[in-house]
Amino acid sequence: MSRSDKKVGVSVHVLNGVYEVVQDVSGHLNGTLGETGRLLALTAANDVPTLNRMAPYFWRSLEHREAVWPGHDDYKDIRHLIAPVGKAVQRLYVRFMPYEIEDIDRIAFALGKQRAHAVAALLTMASKDLRVIQLVAPQFQFRSPYSLKRGSFLWASSPKR
């Protein structure tokens, strides 16, 4: 017999850029990477504009609240979005409550992929949308591409830290 409140773990491979956004949001929230990934994925799974952007990847129909996104035969392959060939990825371990995983599973079914692919797609979509990120972490702003990342070689050698 298993506990009804036991979390469901999902091991996700995400692009380095997505991983860094999750790290930055995690630092903003003073939380863990897994918890931040969970919050971002769930927020994206319940965000209609995000689901609209995912619609071209749906193989099967998805129903969410009052909206329906029909599946189609000429769907795009989600693997080109979440892990393009030649791009570096990192592993992120996310744990969901059993009642939370239902939204993820519905999206995975619509995509015709595994749960991990659905979470990776949601995190990829969320990492590109400041509005979704700010639903999880109010007042968050993306780091400038010209700023030094804490812990880098240049950070340690800079005159002002």
Side-chain angles (χ1 to χ4, degrees), residues 100-139:
E100 296 170 337
I101 204 72
E102 293 173 6
D103 289 335
I104 305 297
D105 285 343
R106 283 187 299 110
I107 292 171
F109 182 75
L111 291 170
K113 298 291 180 194
Q114 299 171 354
R115 185 181 288 163
H117 287 118
V119 174
L122 289 167
L123 289 173
T124 301
M125 291 289 188
S127 70
K128 296 176 181 177
D129 191 348
L130 184 61
R131 183 188 54 79
V132 172
I133 294 173
Q134 286 184 341
L135 290 172
V136 173
Q139 318 260 304

Side-chain angles (χ1 to χ4, degrees), residues 21-149:
V21 169
V22 174
Q23 270 185 324
D24 291 346
V25 174
S26 172
H28 181 79
L29 293 173
N30 292 324
T32 63
L33 285 175
E35 180 64 17
T36 304
R38 180 184 76 84
L39 292 171
L40 286 171
L42 290 174
T43 302
N46 289 297
D47 184 54
V48 173
T50 301
L51 294 175
N52 284 338
R53 289 196 330 267
M54 289 183 71
Y57 300 99
F58 291 154
W59 179 47
R60 298 181 183 107
S61 296
L62 174 71
E63 295 179 25
H64 181 72
R65 296 185 187 143
E66 298 89 29
V68 175
W69 291 269
H72 39 85
D73 291 336
D74 61 341
Y75 63 94
K76 295 181 181 178
D77 189 2
I78 197 74
R79 290 178 294 183
H80 297 298
L81 173 72
I82 59 176
V85 176
K87 298 284 185 171
V89 295
Q90 290 190 24
R91 184 180 301 247
L92 182 64
Y93 191 70
V94 185
R95 294 172 33 159
F96 297 95
M97 294 299 288
Y99 62 88
E100 296 170 337
I101 204 72
E102 293 173 6
D103 289 335
I104 305 297
D105 285 343
R106 283 187 299 110
I107 292 171
F109 182 75
L111 291 170
K113 298 291 180 194
Q114 299 171 354
R115 185 181 288 163
H117 287 118
V119 174
L122 289 167
L123 289 173
T124 301
M125 291 289 188
S127 70
K128 296 176 181 177
D129 191 348
L130 184 61
R131 183 188 54 79
V132 172
I133 294 173
Q134 286 184 341
L135 290 172
V136 173
Q139 318 260 304
F140 176 81
Q141 292 295 319
F142 286 115
R143 191 167 32 94
S144 167
Y146 303 107
S147 67
L148 295 177
K149 185 169 181 183

Side-chain angles (χ1 to χ4, degrees), residues 2-20:
S2 65
R3 292 176 24 195
S4 62
D5 63 341
K6 188 173 182 178
K7 290 188 175 181
V8 178
V10 181
S11 182
V12 184
H13 288 94
V14 293
L15 293 170
N16 284 347
V18 175
Y19 190 87
E20 287 181 6

